[in-house]
Amino acid sequence: VNAAEPIILLTGFEPFGGETINPSWEAVRALHDRRIGGHRVHALRLPVAFDPALAALQAALDALRPPIVLAVGQAGGRAMLSFERVAINLIDARIPDNAGRQPVDCPVIAGAPNAYFSTLPVKAMRATCAAAGIEAELSQSAGCYVCNAVFFALLHALAQRPGSRGGFLHLPWLPEQLDGHPGEPCAPLERVVSGIACALQAAVDVVDDLPLAGGDTH
Ligand code: PCA
């Protein structure tokens, strides 16, 4: 690790649920090695499997010591980039993971807190995307499948590393996935890649999030 050029760890997932691609990996791999705000982006592909994903994430945190981590996943049906605010210590898998495991109602990490908030500035990230013409929203739930588990394990690990911050971004389908999901919303790859770059720039620039109103009323 070159201490003069800190790493932004940017994770995406392999395909799951019958898809042949995952927009998160397609987008983050396009940013591998990019320099953003004095940091170098390292893209990592995670399996959609509970234990292997957490192990791969932990290994990368140990090896790269990234001060900023953004994990990215697919959330088919969402209409725009969706910055997650909350990770919960709960797994309730509606479908088996890619290793065939389907845990129901168990903790991500036994004995850990019930929840963590994103430590990346979700409102500043959304505002930076909006200024570039890229629609994004905030989300209060990352679900209770592998994405939430990775988000939770990330924030639990970073809680022990002062100065390191982490967040999660869910993505809509890519246009080429709509054959199997007619009529659902999608976002083109170039827009998603630009949005992630904007979000990472905001994550570097902003430590205390902007006091912009942004919560849902329901
Ligand atoms: N989306 C799933 C897991 C992997 C992914 O890309 C989720 O939202 O949990």
Side-chain angles (χ1 to χ4, degrees):
V1 179
N2 175 0
E5 195 177 45
I7 299 284
I8 293 175
L9 177 61
L10 184 62
T11 70
F13 284 101
E14 67 182 5
F16 72 105
E19 300 297 316
T20 55
I21 57 170
N22 188 317
S24 64
W25 176 243
E26 300 308 314
V28 308
R29 71 188 179 122
L31 291 165
H32 181 69
D33 257 351
R34 182 88 63 97
R35 284 199 177 84
I36 296 180
H39 296 60
R40 183 180 289 275
V41 174
H42 183 97
L44 174 69
R45 186 180 192 252
L46 296 176
V48 181
F50 289 99
D51 295 342
L54 268 52
L57 174 69
Q58 188 63 52
L61 295 177
D62 291 341
L64 302 171
R65 307 243 145 218
I68 295 175
V69 184
L70 181 65
V72 186
Q74 163 188 302
R78 295 214 189 161
M80 59 187 88
L81 279 69
S82 208
F83 293 105
E84 299 293 349
R85 308 179 77 160
V86 189
I88 58 175
N89 193 10
L90 174 68
I91 299 175
D92 184 1
R94 193 174 46 75
I95 57 173
D97 69 12
N98 284 355
R101 286 192 60 228
Q102 189 175 3
V104 170
D105 293 353
C106 46
V108 178
I109 299 173
N114 287 337
Y116 287 101
F117 289 120
S118 173
T119 46
L120 292 184
V122 290
K123 291 180 173 180
M125 294 193 294
R126 180 176 61 172
T128 304
C129 285
I134 299 161
E135 268 198 308
E137 64 185 359
L138 304 187
S139 162
Q140 275 66 239
S141 173
C144 28
Y145 192 49
V146 179
C147 286
N148 173 74
V150 162
F151 188 21
F152 185 86
L154 171 65
L155 293 177
H156 188 63
L158 295 186
Q160 310 304 321
R161 298 182 187 209
S164 295
R165 297 174 295 137
F168 196 97
L169 172 64
H170 260 130
L171 300 177
W173 302 120
L174 288 172
E176 56 264 46
Q177 293 179 286
L178 288 195
D179 283 351
H181 311 278
E184 296 194 22
C186 65
L189 185 62
E190 316 75 66
R191 190 195 304 161
V192 172
V193 171
S194 300
I196 295 172
C198 287
L200 294 179
Q201 185 68 55
V204 171
D205 292 343
V206 178
V207 172
D208 296 318
D209 204 359
L210 307 174
L212 303 169
D216 293 335
T217 53
H218 55 81

